[in-house]
Amino acid sequence: MLSTLRIRHIGVIDDAMLEFGPGFTALTGETGAGKTMIVTGLTMLLGGRLDRGRTSGSSTVDGTLAMSGHDELAAALDELGAEEDDGEVLVVRRMTRDGRSRAQIGGVPVPIGTLSRLVGTAVTVHGQSDQQRLRDPDAQRIALDRFATAEVGPLVERHREIWSERTELTEQLTELDGLLAERERRGTALREALERIEQADPQPGEDDALRAELERLGNAEELRGAATQAVLALVGDDDGPAAGPLLDIAGEALGRAARTDTTLDPLVERLDAARLELSDLAAEMTRYAEEIDASPGRIEEANERLHELTVLVRDLGAMLPGADGPAEDISTLLETSRGAAIDLDRFEGAEQERATVAARLETLQGELDTAADALTEARTAAAEALSTAVQEELRHLEMPDATIRVDVSAQAHRSHGRDAVAILLAPHPGAEHLPVAQAASGGELSRVMLALEVALSSSRSDRTAAPVFVFDEIDAGIGGRAALAVGQRLARLARHAQVIVVTHLPQVAAHASTHLQIVKTSTEGVTSSTVETLDRPGRIRELARMLAGDAASDVALAHAEELLEDAREKTAGTKTAGTTTASTTARTGRRR
């Protein structure tokens, strides 16, 4: 539920805090006090657009939402990283002086679209936008599905599952058709390419290794001479000194000294290790010089193999493109050939796979038609029940001669079925049933929407997450008995939901469990408004003002008290959407 709403700098409201009760909250006040600004601020909090003409500089709206029972919304906010405080989330919307909009949910900055998607779905505002809502066939279908959620909900879910599988298989079938067409074009070429690679049997990096070997073979004499010269420098010959004999002399000299001074033993060991290492180096360089094969036969053999691999890469590199383009060496070609082999396997199995998918699609189409038929049947039954329920509500709302019809007709098949839903109204006997938005006057439209919401809310089996309804202009064009009837039905709706109503009719306001008054003051030509929560004496005075325009009149006060008492008796014992504890908490104030 919506616990609090704070509005700053919107219209005549400079700074106002509203604390809503869990059931039926009425907002009243003199003309021009700013009642509409309350709805404007609430709409802004839900992600709606704000008319810049209604602001003075920067404007801010923040509200707290109690999350109890709203598991899906709570999960979405948790994923967003929004912070909760005692089960409540703070929502902030700000308009800057330059017209920019900012929003936060639980301390997390979010786009306005996200604000509307998350918070906007938790609160339904009825007002001037109702006509647009009633023109939307999808909204009417969703309303019917809500009404019969126990019967229709599982069928809609089953239909969506089949539709989703069919969509996936249709896409798979299109892919397989493309694969089969490609098989005719590429299959033979791929097979021949893979056979060439298999016959050549190249090894990863073989071409690079051959180039390195050819470079070595082309410089064999120079490399052999360098190795031989290095060996002579290490081990020497009869013509001159070398490192090996000199190390032998050093070792013998140091060994004699170590027999006198044992602290030289570690150095003697290191000299011995150096002599061994030098000997190993000389032996390896000798083998290197002896093993260099500069024969023309080996050079020719290496050149032929490199040419074979180069031609293979040239011919097949473009045919088997890798992730980064055509292959440029043997290693890349071998890598891309693995992908080509996978493609070839798919080519070989595509025809059978397509037959399997097509057969499943044919079966699935039958299942989808059956699911759609069951859905149409359930919706048709629900439409009749909804018509009866709304008709009964209209009788209580002083529209006994009006008739409601909910039509279910065929339309193009979609994920939610092939049903189009239309709510039609005949406002008086003999009138043609037309879409509600066309057939109803302003006052009738408000009552039809109220009747619809009461019927929908009364059908809800889950009472843990009461919805929030805001009604603006619900009492437009009505009075007398119709106004009393609207108040009574709003009180009934508040059994299963939180209801917030902006009204100028005392007959409606008297049925509220929480009464907020927008108070207008003028100082030195400047008008501003604040909001007060009324106790019983305050409510009587406000109802008297609404009845007679004079809160001091004894007759008006007596009439107001009688009206309040009569409304209390009619709603006595009614359970609201919240608990006593929640009500007390909301009224004692959780200011942020």
Side-chain angles (χ1 to χ4, degrees), residues 142-154 378-379 381-383 385 456 459:
I142 292 170
L144 178 62
D145 289 354
R146 274 178 52 204
F147 176 75
T149 185
E151 297 81 9
V152 175
R379 282 181 174 143
L456 294 175
S459 70

Side-chain angles (χ1 to χ4, degrees), residues 69 73 182 185 201 225 262 377 415 501 528 591:
L73 179 58
E182 190 177 9
R185 181 175 61 84
D201 191 25
T262 57
E377 183 179 350
S415 63
V501 179
S528 62
R591 297 182 180 273

Side-chain angles (χ1 to χ4, degrees), residues 455-474:
L456 294 175
S457 293
S458 299
S459 70
R460 294 176 65 250
S461 58
D462 177 17
R463 309 299 184 197
T464 59
V468 181
F469 297 110
V470 180
F471 290 92
D472 186 24
E473 300 181 347
I474 186 65

Side-chain angles (χ1 to χ4, degrees), residues 401-413:
D401 295 329
T403 57
I404 281 284
R405 195 175 77 206
V406 182
D407 282 356
V408 178
S409 58
Q411 67 168 13
H413 212 150

Side-chain angles (χ1 to χ4, degrees), residues 488-529:
Q488 291 167 8
R489 304 325 278 177
L490 285 168
R492 180 180 177 185
L493 178 61
R495 299 176 190 178
H496 312 303
Q498 182 186 27
V499 178
I500 300 169
V501 179
V502 177
T503 181
H504 67 277
L505 292 180
Q507 298 95 326
V508 173
H511 289 81
S513 54
T514 300
H515 192 155
L516 304 179
Q517 181 184 9
I518 295 90
V519 181
K520 179 176 65 176
T521 58
S522 297
T523 305
E524 297 180 354
V526 178
T527 301
S528 62
S529 297

Side-chain angles (χ1 to χ4, degrees), residues 208-544:
D208 290 335
L210 286 170
R211 291 187 184 93
E213 183 183 1
L214 284 169
E215 179 71 17
R216 185 169 63 254
L217 293 174
N219 296 278
E221 291 301 327
E222 180 181 349
L223 293 173
R224 186 184 293 111
T228 302
Q229 185 178 0
V231 170
L232 289 175
L234 291 177
V235 298
D237 58 13
D238 296 337
D239 296 333
L246 292 175
L247 278 176
D248 291 340
I249 295 171
E252 291 176 3
L254 201 59
R256 289 194 300 271
R259 287 195 289 271
T260 303
D261 184 358
T262 57
T263 60
L264 293 174
D265 286 344
L267 296 179
V268 173
E269 293 176 0
R270 290 172 63 184
L271 269 174
D272 288 340
R275 290 163 63 192
L276 289 174
E277 178 66 16
L278 186 146
S279 177
D280 288 343
L281 280 171
E284 287 189 26
M285 283 186 282
T286 300
R287 284 194 299 272
Y288 172 81
E290 292 172 349
E291 290 174 358
I292 290 181
D293 183 5
S295 66
R298 176 54 194 159
I299 294 175
E300 182 179 356
E301 180 185 346
N303 272 316
E304 287 178 356
R305 179 60 173 170
L306 180 60
H307 176 72
E308 180 185 9
L309 298 181
T310 302
V311 170
L312 198 66
V313 171
R314 183 194 65 195
D315 291 349
L316 306 183
M319 181 184 297
L320 308 176
D324 299 323
E328 296 179 351
D329 55 39
I330 282 297
S331 294
T332 307
L333 184 65
L334 288 172
E335 182 64 32
T336 55
S337 70
R338 283 189 279 272
I342 293 173
D343 286 346
L344 193 58
D345 287 343
R346 287 214 66 194
F347 287 159
E348 298 299 332
E351 193 164 352
Q352 179 58 45
E353 187 178 354
R354 190 197 184 284
T356 302
V357 170
R360 175 57 182 157
L361 265 176
E362 185 175 354
T363 302
L364 211 58
Q365 185 60 52
E367 293 179 11
L368 190 65
D369 290 338
T370 301
D373 290 342
L375 197 48
T376 299
E377 183 179 350
R379 282 181 174 143
T380 301
E384 184 175 348
L386 179 60
S387 300
T388 302
V390 176
Q391 188 74 47
E392 178 65 16
E393 290 302 321
L394 289 178
R395 186 178 66 80
H396 289 292
L397 289 168
E398 299 300 319
M399 292 179 65
D401 295 329
T403 57
I404 281 284
R405 195 175 77 206
V406 182
D407 282 356
V408 178
S409 58
Q411 67 168 13
H413 212 150
R414 296 160 66 186
S415 63
H416 51 69
R418 55 189 177 207
D419 304 318
V421 177
I423 301 175
L424 308 176
L425 171 71
H428 53 79
E432 181 184 359
H433 280 84
L434 296 173
V436 174
Q438 299 176 23
S441 65
E444 290 170 339
L445 181 63
S446 299
R447 280 181 279 172
V448 170
M449 288 305 304
L450 176 57
L452 183 61
E453 291 296 7
V454 172
L456 294 175
S457 293
S458 299
S459 70
R460 294 176 65 250
S461 58
D462 177 17
R463 309 299 184 197
T464 59
V468 181
F469 297 110
V470 180
F471 290 92
D472 186 24
E473 300 181 347
I474 186 65
D475 48 23
I478 63 172
R481 289 173 53 186
L484 281 171
V486 167
Q488 291 167 8
R489 304 325 278 177
L490 285 168
R492 180 180 177 185
L493 178 61
R495 299 176 190 178
H496 312 303
Q498 182 186 27
V499 178
I500 300 169
V501 179
V502 177
T503 181
H504 67 277
L505 292 180
Q507 298 95 326
V508 173
H511 289 81
S513 54
T514 300
H515 192 155
L516 304 179
Q517 181 184 9
I518 295 90
V519 181
K520 179 176 65 176
T521 58
S522 297
T523 305
E524 297 180 354
V526 178
T527 301
S528 62
S529 297
T530 57
V531 179
E532 296 179 0
T533 302
L534 300 180
D535 55 13
R536 181 178 173 80
R539 293 191 69 182
I540 292 173
R541 288 192 298 273
E542 173 63 2
L543 292 175

Side-chain angles (χ1 to χ4, degrees), residues 150-211:
E151 297 81 9
V152 175
L155 297 177
V156 173
E157 184 62 28
R158 173 59 180 157
H159 187 279
R160 288 189 189 278
E161 289 175 358
I162 299 173
W163 180 275
S164 177
E165 184 181 355
R166 192 189 72 159
T167 300
E168 291 178 3
L169 288 178
T170 300
E171 292 174 353
Q172 188 176 346
L173 192 67
T174 301
E175 181 184 349
L176 287 169
D177 284 338
L179 201 62
L180 287 170
E182 190 177 9
R183 181 183 69 172
E184 302 302 321
R185 181 175 61 84
R186 293 188 62 214
T188 302
L190 282 180
R191 191 176 296 104
E192 291 176 353
L194 292 175
E195 288 175 356
R196 281 188 62 184
I197 292 174
E198 184 177 0
Q199 290 172 359
D201 191 25
Q203 303 302 310
E206 185 181 354
D207 49 352
D208 290 335
L210 286 170
R211 291 187 184 93

